[in-house]
Amino acid sequence: MGAAATGGAAVSKTRTMLKVRKVRMICAVLLTALLLLLARQRPSQAQSPEQSDAFVFGINASVPGAVIGTFAPPSVDSIYFLADRTSILSPRQTRVYYWPITNEYRAAWSEVNEQVEGTLEILQGSEVVATVQQVTYTIHFSTGERAPRPQLYVGQEALQADARFQEAQTAYREAALAYQAARQAWLAQAREAAASLTADGVDPETLPPAPQQPEALNLFSTGLNSGYPVELPAGSYQIRTRLPDGSIIPESERRLIVFAPRRTAVGYEVVPENRWTFPEELNDLSSAVFGENDSVIYLKPYIVREYPSLPYERLQDPQYVGDTSGPEWMWVSGEPLEEEILEIVRDGRVEELVGLQPYFVRQVPGRELGYEILPYAPDTPDLTPRIDFVGYRIALSTERPAFEVRLRSPEQTLLSGSTRAVRVVEPISVYTLLPLSLLPLIIGAGLLFWRRRRTALEISE
Amino acid sequence: MRNTAATRYGNRGYRADGMTTSMESRTGSLAVAREAPRSSSSLRWGALLRIARQQARDAMLGWAPYLVAALAVLIAVVLVYNAIRFTAESGLNIVANPFSLPLQTAASLALLYVTVEATLAIARPREHGSLQVLFFAPVDVSVLIGAHFVSGIVVYLLFLLLLAPPLSLLAWVTNFVVPVALLWGVLLTVLVAGLAVAFGLFLSAAAPSGRAAILLLVAATLLLLIVQGGYAALLNIPPTSRYYDALLFLRVLLRNVHELLLWFSPFRMLDAMLDAALRADWAALLQYSGAAVGGTVAWLAAAVWALRRRGVLP
């Protein structure tokens, strides 16, 4: 019984083992099949999107203080430019593909990037208003906050600018090579000095001064390219490219919408002293500054231009599919103004003149704000080692509760659109203001009472 | 003269179908013109002014305009207080177009009030059967519509006058800026008020009853405000992402309707006029003023036509 039981247990164990093996085998087969399937699928996942040959316009759109580089694939029927600024359209043959992640077409410039010969015709209605030939252009730009703004050079100027750039690049390369050589020589001298090291060490007088590294070239160039320079007044146009054989490239027919700023003015960046890292913008001409008593603000002026939001968005991205969201008009900041004098005007009389002043922000541990803003003085490098920002300082006080600020140029002319109202407001209880809403009712009650009384008098008479 | 006018309009009012031919009307007018052309026009003008004065007096001797004005000031107080409170909290407040929103709200309420008054001006007395009595005086359809129109404009101006002291006091107490350009803009909104009153008079003349006229006005106002408010709300909703926007179709649709409303809706026109005044954009102001006057004339003509067509009986 016991042996039979042991034998039965062994048979049962063997059967279980066989079952487990069978299951493992099936799993292995399934896993292999799955891996094979995945292995087969992988090449198709890595495939690049389907590309097609297309005529496109490369775009370098001029905006205040910048040149925006984009392109218009065949799906874009309207191209947007700013009025009275030179922008560039470059006719190109390339390959494009749809990129669903960003819902836009992209160009495979590295595969095909052929310049298309021909002239650009600009039409209004059915009339050709301009015919533009391709010219050489280049864009130079630098990096850094106080660096010069990007510059577009066209035609002969482009050639000259490119020559200057090449010259600067060559000069920098030579300076860098000379520096390397000088550095090697200096290192050799230093090694020699180290070899003749005495117990007293190296006499610093015996070592020549270390060579100075040349200043890095902060100028970049797109190189020389060809395109149509377009500078038009505001309006709606049609464009097309005519080939040398007289035919029109159908894909080149697009709408060109040229728009101008609705208003140009002087805007201000308002830096409150109590949170100088969070400045606010004061752009609209009818906007006003409301500040509390005993506070200080700093104003940083610059040119602002007001553009319609949607066209400006499409100027920056011709494939932008969205519609207006946010304000319908937007102020675009432009060139900073640093030569002017700020006038504080009260009741039509200039009360104070304020000059632009650099400031240093000193971190002060333990103080309420954690910092204090000091006027920058070059002769006290220990106290004010650097310039953190520049601005016109205005102290707000209830002694001067309402005034205006405006800018006067060095030529003593007032800058149009620079006037803004400033108000010093003091906290007030809502219960003080609410009775004002009863005033119309009081007037009405008085009128009705007077009317009733008059009627009663008339009846009695 | 009085008999002629009474026969002309009284008789037409009693017609079974409530209709009259333009030839009848024209013949009647010509007959009056032949009898006493100068006295006719001066009588008509006198009647127009008398009715307008009476209507305006009736309106201003009720509580309604003062209640609406009180509401307008209350809203202005809340808006201004909100800005002041924020300034006290943050230390700095850049207020875009200060006092523009309070004034716009006040002017919108004034518009709504005169439109409601105009919507009831004809429909209510007609419903009560008292409209026909007017036509026993040297009054015709044009005079009546003109009188109600003038009355509406006068009430609107009085309403603005009523708002001036409390709003000025509010600005003075709070040291708030009131741009002068905005005040010019508010004065120009009288043209928009004309458009609103003319539209109200058309509804009043065309609707079968006072209740129907008010319902139509509410429906039209709601539609206009929904489009305007919906568009403003959509502007403040950011797109789903930079590349996809679930509300794109709605945005485009509402933007186009909103742009169209600029030439029809008094509320939209009011916004645009105040904005143009703030920007000192005289060309735009002239354009909107022209549109408002054109719309006013069209709605007044439609009101005259509707009253002639519908008659003076309930």
Side-chain angles (χ1 to χ4, degrees):
Chain A
M1 177 75 186
T6 311
V11 169
S12 168
K13 196 177 176 182
T14 310
R15 274 185 191 159
T16 310
M17 279 178 71
L18 279 172
K19 269 184 190 170
V20 168
R21 249 183 225 170
K22 204 174 174 181
V23 168
R24 275 184 188 162
M25 212 164 186
I26 290 168
C27 283
V29 169
L30 280 174
L31 194 65
T32 313
L34 192 66
L35 283 172
L36 279 172
L37 200 65
L38 285 173
R40 281 190 64 183
Q41 278 180 347
R42 191 177 290 167
S44 64
Q45 278 182 342
Q47 275 178 356
S48 58
E50 195 181 329
Q51 295 183 354
S52 58
D53 289 326
F55 172 90
V56 303
F57 277 115
I59 298 172
N60 279 297
S62 265
V63 298
V67 182
I68 299 171
T70 57
F71 90 110
S75 60
V76 170
D77 65 346
S78 298
I79 295 170
Y80 293 79
F81 279 159
L82 290 187
D84 305 321
R85 284 173 179 273
T86 304
S87 295
I88 301 286
L89 280 174
S90 306
R92 289 280 189 275
Q93 194 69 37
T94 186
R95 294 181 72 80
V96 295
Y97 58 93
Y98 178 67
W99 190 248
I101 296 167
T102 53
N103 191 18
E104 63 183 2
Y105 282 90
R106 291 185 170 188
W109 298 115
S110 57
E111 292 186 23
V112 182
N113 184 7
E114 291 169 6
Q115 186 189 333
V116 177
E117 298 299 332
T119 55
L120 182 79
E121 289 184 350
I122 302 173
L123 301 92
Q124 258 189 323
S126 55
E127 189 191 346
V128 177
V129 292
T131 305
V132 189
Q133 302 293 335
Q134 290 196 54
V135 295
T136 307
Y137 73 92
T138 186
I139 300 165
H140 286 184
F141 55 97
S142 305
T143 57
E145 198 181 334
R146 291 188 164 256
R149 305 271 174 133
Q151 185 74 43
L152 170 71
Y153 298 97
V154 177
Q156 195 60 33
E157 275 190 5
L159 298 173
Q160 288 168 357
D162 192 61
R164 280 199 304 273
F165 174 74
Q166 300 290 349
E167 210 173 285
Q169 215 175 24
T170 308
Y172 173 71
R173 201 179 302 125
E174 283 170 1
L177 286 172
Y179 166 72
Q180 286 299 330
R183 185 175 154 76
Q184 291 302 326
W186 182 81
L187 284 173
Q189 281 182 320
R191 272 195 294 273
E192 276 176 29
S196 60
L197 191 67
T198 61
D200 300 330
V202 180
D203 181 7
E205 295 294 320
T206 60
L207 273 179
Q212 292 295 311
Q213 196 171 357
E215 200 176 327
L217 182 64
N218 187 15
L219 180 65
F220 304 91
S221 170
T222 57
L224 290 174
N225 291 301
S226 285
Y228 304 115
V230 177
E231 186 179 344
L232 292 165
S236 184
Y237 304 85
Q238 296 89 47
I239 53 169
R240 62 190 185 196
T241 303
R242 191 177 288 279
L243 292 171
D245 65 3
S247 63
I248 301 281
I249 302 175
E251 297 85 9
S252 71
E253 292 184 276
R254 315 280 174 99
R255 277 176 74 208
L256 178 64
I257 293 159
V258 181
F259 61 100
R262 181 168 71 166
R263 287 183 287 176
T264 300
V266 175
Y268 297 91
E269 193 175 279
V270 185
V271 182
E273 194 177 46
N274 60 358
R275 45 187 169 96
W276 81 281
T277 47
F278 293 95
E280 299 204 21
E281 285 187 350
L282 174 66
N283 290 331
D284 199 278
L285 287 159
S286 50
S287 293
V289 179
F290 286 72
E292 63 179 349
N293 186 28
D294 286 334
S295 62
V296 172
I297 55 171
Y298 300 86
L299 300 181
K300 294 159 78 174
Y302 48 84
I303 300 285
V304 283
R305 297 171 181 87
E306 193 183 28
Y307 292 106
S309 301
L310 194 55
Y312 198 81
E313 190 66 53
R314 290 190 174 147
L315 176 142
Q316 297 177 85
D317 179 5
Q319 297 190 67
Y320 178 68
V321 291
D323 200 67
T324 309
S325 61
E328 287 173 302
W329 292 84
M330 61 189 290
W331 287 98
V332 177
S333 306
E335 308 83 338
L337 297 165
E338 297 185 337
E339 304 285 318
E340 285 68 20
I341 292 287
L342 187 94
E343 292 183 348
I344 293 182
V345 183
R346 197 174 168 196
D347 301 326
R349 200 165 46 84
V350 178
E351 205 167 70
E352 193 184 336
L353 297 175
V354 186
L356 191 72
Q357 171 87 31
Y359 291 94
F360 166 69
V361 183
R362 190 171 71 158
Q363 303 299 319
V364 185
R367 280 180 63 118
E368 191 187 347
L369 284 176
Y371 63 85
E372 64 178 330
I373 296 173
L374 301 171
Y376 171 77
D379 51 345
T380 55
D382 295 337
L383 189 64
T384 56
R386 62 174 189 277
I387 297 171
D388 283 322
F389 70 90
V390 291
Y392 297 94
R393 185 180 188 274
I394 297 173
L396 302 180
S397 153
T398 45
E399 288 172 13
R400 192 165 58 187
F403 60 92
E404 286 179 342
V405 291
R406 65 188 188 195
L407 282 182
R408 192 174 285 278
S409 73
E411 294 79 32
Q412 295 302 310
T413 51
L414 278 178
L415 262 64
S416 168
S418 67
T419 305
R420 298 291 188 285
V422 182
R423 292 287 185 273
V424 182
V425 286
E426 289 194 281
I428 191 166
S429 164
V430 72
Y431 300 109
T432 314
L433 299 177
L434 278 177
L436 287 175
S437 58
L438 297 175
L439 208 56
L441 291 175
I442 294 167
I443 294 172
L447 202 66
L448 292 179
F449 177 73
W450 169 79
R451 172 71 182 164
R452 195 166 291 176
R453 195 175 163 158
R454 203 177 137 196
T455 312
L457 278 173
E458 278 172 4
I459 290 168
S460 67
E461 280 169 8
Chain B
M1 168 66 205
R2 180 174 291 190
N3 289 341
T4 313
T7 311
R8 206 153 32 102
Y9 293 105
N11 286 351
R12 195 187 58 204
Y14 285 108
R15 283 177 65 133
D17 56 1
M19 299 279 286
T20 184
T21 61
S22 58
M23 186 55 75
E24 264 181 338
S25 171
R26 228 175 281 153
T27 316
S29 301
L30 283 174
V32 172
R34 265 188 235 109
E35 279 170 32
R38 287 184 65 186
S39 64
S40 162
S41 63
S42 67
L43 276 172
R44 279 157 58 89
W45 181 243
L48 187 150
L49 288 183
R50 196 168 301 130
I51 296 171
R53 199 180 304 133
Q54 186 60 45
Q55 290 295 326
R57 189 185 296 165
D58 285 352
M60 296 311 288
L61 288 176
W63 278 105
Y66 305 101
L67 283 169
V68 179
L71 181 66
V73 178
L74 182 67
I75 293 171
V77 162
V78 171
L79 292 172
V80 168
Y81 176 71
N82 183 59
I84 288 171
R85 192 187 152 94
F86 178 73
T87 309
E89 278 176 4
S90 74
L92 176 70
N93 188 5
I94 307 295
V95 183
N97 308 330
F99 232 80
S100 174
L101 194 57
L103 271 183
Q104 195 180 324
T105 312
S108 298
L109 282 172
L111 268 189
L112 207 57
Y113 172 72
V114 291
T115 313
V116 170
E117 282 284 317
T119 306
L120 290 171
I122 293 166
R124 195 166 43 186
R126 180 167 52 197
E127 205 172 16
H128 295 164
S130 57
L131 189 61
Q132 57 176 310
V133 179
L134 265 180
F135 287 90
F136 288 93
V139 171
D140 60 18
V141 171
S142 312
V143 167
L144 186 71
I145 296 288
H148 282 299
F149 176 73
V150 172
S151 156
I153 298 295
V154 169
V155 170
Y156 182 79
L157 287 172
L158 287 174
F159 197 96
L160 292 185
L161 215 59
L162 183 66
L163 286 173
L167 291 185
S168 306
L169 209 58
L170 178 64
W172 180 72
V173 168
T174 56
N175 196 17
F176 232 73
V177 187
V178 184
V180 181
L182 196 61
L183 299 178
W184 284 113
V186 169
L187 279 184
L188 275 177
T189 59
V190 76
L191 299 172
V192 182
L195 177 67
V197 170
F199 176 66
L201 286 172
F202 166 72
L203 285 183
S204 197
S209 66
R211 187 179 296 172
I214 285 293
L215 276 176
L216 280 173
L217 177 70
V218 168
T221 308
L222 273 181
L223 187 70
L224 296 179
L225 292 180
I226 283 173
V227 170
Q228 206 163 325
Y231 179 68
L234 273 186
L235 283 182
N236 291 317
I237 300 174
T240 319
S241 78
R242 175 159 178 82
Y243 312 108
Y244 292 94
D245 185 4
L247 298 170
L248 184 59
F249 175 74
L250 210 54
R251 282 185 208 278
V252 175
L253 179 74
L254 278 185
R255 178 165 55 82
N256 288 322
V257 177
H258 192 249
E259 275 171 18
L260 201 67
L261 283 186
L262 182 58
W263 310 106
F264 297 104
S265 164
F267 301 106
R268 173 82 180 93
M269 224 178 256
L270 183 82
D271 278 8
M273 265 193 165
L274 291 180
D275 181 53
L278 273 173
R279 285 185 285 112
D281 188 344
W282 304 114
L285 272 176
L286 202 67
Q287 222 176 1
Y288 301 144
S289 301
V293 171
T296 304
V297 171
W299 284 120
L300 283 178
V304 169
W305 171 81
L307 186 55
R308 282 201 178 130
R309 190 178 160 80
R310 188 163 277 284
V312 296
L313 288 181

